[in-house]
Amino acid sequence: MINNILKYIREERGMSKSELSRRSGISRITITKIEANITNPKATTISSICKVLNKNPSEIFFTQGVNHELQRWEGHDFNDSRTGTSEY
């Protein structure tokens, strides 16, 4: 499963799912499923979303989990400097 922080980046930009859908050409339902980790996005979908958000794919999508309940995207360093390990 490809995990992501799409919701956090989208919200950080003040963008609704509908706006991201309109600007990327990806259906709102698909965006909802991607944010909920229900579906793996295709490469073309990832590319379209990244273009709209002006981010690299690795800044949004990754293959290991992140506990979104404990971590906030805004201002959070996903690399743990105390241990030198990545949290994701």
Side-chain angles (χ1 to χ4, degrees):
M1 178 61 69
I2 298 175
N3 294 308
N4 67 81
I5 53 174
L6 176 58
K7 178 181 178 180
Y8 297 96
I9 294 173
R10 177 181 57 75
E11 288 177 346
E12 179 181 67
R13 299 254 197 283
M15 189 179 296
S16 68
K17 288 180 194 174
S18 295
E19 183 180 356
L20 178 57
S21 172
R22 181 181 54 77
R23 292 177 61 188
S24 67
I26 308 301
S27 75
R28 186 180 180 284
I29 292 170
T30 298
I31 291 170
T32 298
K33 288 179 179 181
I34 292 169
E35 287 184 352
N37 290 314
I38 294 171
T39 188
N40 281 327
K42 296 176 183 178
T44 54
T45 300
I46 291 172
S47 177
S48 295
I49 289 170
C50 288
K51 284 180 185 176
V52 170
L53 297 174
N54 196 29
K55 293 283 186 181
N56 292 320
S58 62
E59 294 177 286
I60 302 173
F61 300 95
F62 41 88
T63 57
Q64 295 177 337
V66 170
N67 185 337
H68 295 294
E69 299 304 314
L70 299 176
Q71 299 174 358
R72 296 207 29 124
W73 165 249
E74 186 175 321
H76 184 78
D77 181 4
F78 284 90
N79 292 311
D80 188 346
S81 60
R82 294 168 293 157
T83 63
T85 61
S86 174
E87 295 178 15
Y88 63 91

